[in-house]
C-alpha cells in the first residue's frame, strides 16, 4: 500500500501533539500537590480533583494521539484542555507567549488549531484507528463537529469549576 504524503504529516502532527500532552500529564501527575495548589491559585474549585483529572486526561490524550487511537476524541480532549487554559490563564496576557510572565495565548491556540486539523483530517493510515477501520467513520464534517465539541466541553468545565480569582484577595 502506497502512503500518501498526508499520512506522514498527520503522523508527525499526532505524535508531536501527543508528546506535548504526555509531558504535561507526567508533570502534573508527578507533582500533584503542586499542580493542585497552582490550580487553586488561579481559580479552580476542587483543585486536587481538577489536577488529577488534568494529569490523567493529558496522559490519555497524549497516548491516544501518538497511537492514533480514537484520534478525533483525543484531539477534542486536547482542544478542551487548551480552551480551559486559554480562558482561565493565557487570555489575560495577550497574544505573545513571551510578552508577560504569565504567557500569552499563541501557544495554547496553536495546539488547539493543530488538534482541530487532526480531528478534521483524520488520523492517517499510520494509526490504530486505520488498522481497526475506525478512521473511515470520521468524515471531515464529523471531525469538525467533534473539534467543536471539544470547545464546548472546555466551556462547560470552566462554567462548573472555575472562577477568576479576585486580585485584591
Amino acid at each position: 500500500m502506497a502512503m500518501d504524503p498526508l499520512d506522514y504529516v498527520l503522523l508527525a502532527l499526532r505524535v508531536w501533539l501527543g508528546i506535548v500532552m504526555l509531558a504535561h500529564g507526567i508533570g502534573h501527575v508527578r507533582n500533584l500537590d503542586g499542580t493542585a495548589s497552582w490550580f487553586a491559585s488561579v481559580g479552580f474549585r476542587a483543585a486536587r480533583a481538577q489536577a488529577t483529572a488534568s494529569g490523567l486526561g493529558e496522559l490519555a490524550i497524549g497516548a491516544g494521539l501518538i497511537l492514533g487511537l480514537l484520534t478525533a476524541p483525543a484531539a477534542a480532549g486536547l482542544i478542551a484542555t487548551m480552551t480551559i487554559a486559554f480562558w482561565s490563564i493565557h487570555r489575560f496576557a495577550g497574544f505573545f507567549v513571551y510578552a508577560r510572565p504569565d504567557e500569552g495565548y499563541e501557544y495554547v491556540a496553536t495546539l488547539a488549531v493543530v488538534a482541530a486539523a487532526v480531528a478534521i483530517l483524520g488520523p492517517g493510515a499510520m494509526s490504530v484507528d486505520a488498522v481497526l477501520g475506525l478512521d473511515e467513520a470520521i468524515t471531515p464534517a464529523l471531525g469538525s463537529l467533534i473539534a467543536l465539541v471539544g470547545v464546548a466541553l472546555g466551556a462547560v468545565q470552566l462554567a462548573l469549576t472555575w472562577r477568576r480569582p479576585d486580585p485584591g484577595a
Side-chain angles (χ1 to χ4, degrees):
M1 172 166 99
M3 300 301 254
D4 184 315
L6 181 60
D7 291 318
Y8 294 101
V9 171
L10 289 167
L11 176 65
L13 293 176
R14 280 193 357 257
V15 168
W16 180 247
L17 289 173
I19 289 169
V20 169
M21 293 309 288
L22 279 176
H24 279 268
I26 289 167
H28 287 153
V29 168
R30 290 176 101 186
N31 185 14
L32 204 50
D33 291 335
T35 302
S37 176
W38 182 78
F39 273 32
S41 76
V42 297
F44 284 96
R45 291 176 283 179
R48 177 82 178 190
Q50 289 288 324
T52 302
S54 177
L56 295 177
E58 289 167 346
L59 291 173
I61 291 164
L65 289 168
I66 289 170
L67 295 172
L69 177 61
L70 301 174
T71 304
L78 190 155
I79 293 166
T81 302
M82 294 306 108
T83 298
I84 293 163
F86 166 78
W87 192 259
S88 63
I89 306 298
H90 299 279
R91 71 184 169 111
F92 302 112
F95 181 77
F96 293 106
V97 73
Y98 58 81
R100 292 187 37 197
D102 49 357
E103 303 179 2
Y105 60 84
E106 67 179 302
Y107 171 72
V108 297
T110 299
L111 290 177
V113 168
V114 174
V118 168
I120 293 164
L121 294 172
M126 292 178 274
S127 66
V128 174
D129 285 346
V131 171
L132 298 175
L134 299 174
D135 60 328
E136 295 180 21
I138 307 294
T139 64
L142 183 55
S144 298
L145 179 61
I146 291 170
L148 290 173
V149 166
V151 175
L153 290 173
V156 167
Q157 183 175 346
L158 283 162
L160 295 175
T161 65
W162 180 78
R163 297 292 177 267
R164 185 174 183 180
D166 180 4

